[in-house]
Amino acid sequence: MSKEENKPAINNSPYVVRMPIIIGITLAAGILLGSTFFSGNKNMKEVARGYSKFREVLMLVENNYVDSVSTEELVDYSITKMLEKLDPHTAYFNVEEAAAARSQLDSGFDGIGVEFNIYNDTVYVVTPLSGGPSETIGILSGDRILKVDQEKLSGPGVTNADVFKMLRGKRGTKVNLLIERVGLKENLTFTVTRDRIPTYSVDAAYMVDQEIGYIKVTRFSETTYDEFKSALMSLKAEGLKKLILDLRGNPGGYMERATSMADEFIDGNKLLVYTKGKDSRFDKKTEAHIDGIFEKGPVIVLMDEGSASASEILAGALQDHDRALVIGRRSYGKGLVQMPVKLSDGSELRLTISRYYTPSGRSIQKPYEMGKGEDYSQDLSHRYESGELFNADSIKLDKSKVYKTDGGRYVYGGGGIMPDVFVPRDTLTNSKYLFELYAKNIIREYALKYANTQQKKLVKSSFEQYLAQFKVTDAMMKELIKDATLAGIEYKQAEFTRSRPLIEAQTKAIIGRYVWGRNHKGGLNNEVYRVLNPTDNVYREAIHHFSQASDLEAGNFSSLKTQD
């Protein structure tokens, strides 16, 4: 055999032929991007050398690697892994992921309805989206999704695209989830029926009595401010004088919607939030500038460990200006600002460009180490295990990051918004039997069945009469238990007795929504909240603290315990 015959045949694909052109364009675009965002940076030579090395390795793999590979997948994987060396919130989305992620805030979609994050190759539920099927069956913030239809959804290489592909799907289709939940030794199995995920972000707006109004905001999407403003004006027309603003479980969204809402409460041109980054072009101050709808009147804000980002911006502004009493538990602690950069192929980089600060100067970003996302992702579990969710004394405040509100009250940075009034998580009605009812959707299915058979009788009265007079009977509970047993859930009397108040309340709430709630426009679920809120310990605490909220608005801080 001649030497000429020993040479490998050159048979480059069209992609390989175009590779130098593609990489040349990418390199030029990268340098342009770098010069745009980081002009004058002394490290640009290092960036250029990095591009050159990456191009060299990519070409060697494409031309010489023993097996066929997808260069596009390698590039996506490389970018994802590179960004893991940065903060926990900088992220890359390929074309499909970017479109799916944008739909969370901009338009509706079919799926199970969860806001999630991937940390250390594990999918964590940030919060179930209000009104969606995951919330309905009892998925909670902090749950870890281990498997979807017996297919593993954890481990090295899990991507946003994997999650979207497995969890989204045509409405009406079912999906089985294996969930790991903090505080439980055994994993849980949930069957979720995919549905249209509501695009509305104001989930409830109603008058509690002749003076107190309640508004629940579930996320900060494109339409949130308009929805909120409309709800607030409607309540004012009904006599609103005191307001409960519920931001629990709200994972955030558009910062501008949060500051616009804050401006409805805060007078003058007071500072609402400011941002600071490495590049001064990302430094920005946002101030109040309009005559707000509710600049007078006591306000109470409800928060918990699922309240993040834009929720914390709104609550921080109101707390720092002594405009609202914050009740609940320490919020999530996300104080980093991401700029979405749409790349040439439709993919998207969400790059952390600055930190935001509340008017008093505090950053509420909780601690993290660059490139070490595991502890960060486990934060909610750590809070549970440390007892922080149940005892205010277990909250570890960083005394080196102390600030003062306008009125001189102490507040702390470096780990979320601390409540003015702490309320522990209520677990008194929790039981494994209850979680199994959630997992197999028993409560909702029974309530809908009852509503269908009794609707003609129920609609003869108003919802107000139903709310005051309707009782979930022993006979109804026996039917529900029977349905659960047929579904394979073993009846455990002690656990049922413990959870019965919540089972009855949720049954009544779902019946009420089904019979009367369809008359609402704008996606409101007032019937559900009007039934369930009186059973909620944080809500009940809020109702009893309007005297303190009034003192706060009046500048009388003697009745308020400062966090010192």
Side-chain angles (χ1 to χ4, degrees), residues 157-268:
V158 64
T159 66
N160 287 288
D162 295 330
V163 181
F164 287 131
K165 182 179 178 181
M166 296 171 78
L167 298 186
R168 293 194 176 183
K170 188 176 180 181
R171 74 186 72 176
T173 58
K174 295 182 183 294
V175 60
N176 295 306
L177 307 180
L178 183 66
I179 295 289
E180 181 182 68
R181 177 168 295 171
V182 64
L184 293 180
K185 294 180 180 179
E186 298 179 20
N187 294 330
L188 301 169
T189 300
F190 290 83
T191 300
V192 190
T193 302
R194 296 183 179 97
D195 201 351
R196 189 67 176 172
I197 305 305
T199 58
Y200 300 108
S201 50
V202 173
D203 204 33
Y206 67 88
M207 292 297 292
V208 178
D209 58 25
Q210 292 183 341
E211 293 188 341
I212 300 174
Y214 172 88
I215 297 179
K216 171 74 173 179
V217 182
T218 59
R219 64 182 75 88
F220 290 90
S221 66
E222 200 170 60
T223 61
T224 298
Y225 174 60
D226 291 335
E227 291 178 53
F228 170 76
K229 189 174 180 180
S230 175
L232 192 59
M233 290 177 69
S234 294
L235 296 188
K236 281 207 74 175
E238 294 182 50
L240 175 70
K241 291 182 174 60
K242 307 172 183 177
L243 178 68
I244 298 174
L245 177 60
D246 193 345
L247 300 179
R248 288 176 295 171
N250 186 321
Y254 293 124
M255 184 170 72
E256 293 79 6
R257 306 304 186 272
T259 54
S260 294
M261 284 176 59
D263 204 354
E264 295 294 347
F265 298 103
I266 296 172
D267 60 11

Side-chain angles (χ1 to χ4, degrees), residues 277-291:
K278 180 168 67 176
D279 191 312
S280 60
R281 284 172 295 170
F282 301 129
D283 296 351
K284 180 183 177 182
K285 289 185 177 181
T286 302
E287 298 173 338
H289 64 280
I290 65 170
D291 292 329

Side-chain angles (χ1 to χ4, degrees), residues 433-495:
Y433 186 77
L434 176 66
F435 294 148
E436 289 176 336
L437 294 180
Y438 288 157
K440 294 195 175 181
N441 221 6
I442 300 299
I443 299 174
R444 179 175 180 274
E445 292 301 322
Y446 172 76
L448 294 181
K449 180 175 66 175
Y450 182 90
N452 276 322
T453 59
Q454 302 293 322
Q455 185 168 3
K456 289 182 179 179
K457 178 181 177 182
L458 290 169
V459 294
K460 291 179 180 178
S461 61
S462 67
F463 177 76
E464 282 68 25
Q465 291 172 315
Y466 171 82
L467 183 64
Q469 299 171 9
F470 184 84
K471 303 293 183 185
V472 175
T473 64
D474 289 343
M476 293 172 67
M477 287 293 93
K478 287 179 181 178
E479 290 179 22
L480 186 146
I481 292 168
K482 182 180 178 181
D483 289 349
T485 304
L486 289 173
I489 301 174
E490 181 185 353
Y491 175 65
K492 298 174 183 177
Q493 184 174 351
E495 293 187 12

Side-chain angles (χ1 to χ4, degrees), residues 30-96:
I31 293 173
L32 177 61
L33 185 67
S35 63
T36 301
F37 290 124
F38 309 110
S39 54
N41 195 318
K42 295 179 181 179
N43 294 323
M44 280 309 299
K45 289 183 179 180
E46 290 184 19
V47 174
R49 282 198 298 270
Y51 272 115
S52 180
K53 183 189 291 186
F54 184 75
R55 176 184 59 184
E56 185 178 1
V57 171
L58 202 60
M59 288 295 294
L60 286 168
V61 170
E62 178 64 34
N63 286 326
N64 302 300
Y65 184 66
V66 62
D67 296 319
S68 297
V69 294
S70 168
T71 308
E72 185 176 358
E73 288 183 9
L74 286 178
V75 171
D76 285 350
Y77 183 77
S78 301
I79 294 172
T80 299
K81 287 300 178 183
M82 174 181 68
L83 297 180
E84 286 181 2
K85 292 294 183 182
L86 305 180
D87 68 273
H89 296 290
T90 290
Y92 168 76
F93 297 87
N94 64 30
V95 177
E96 293 79 14

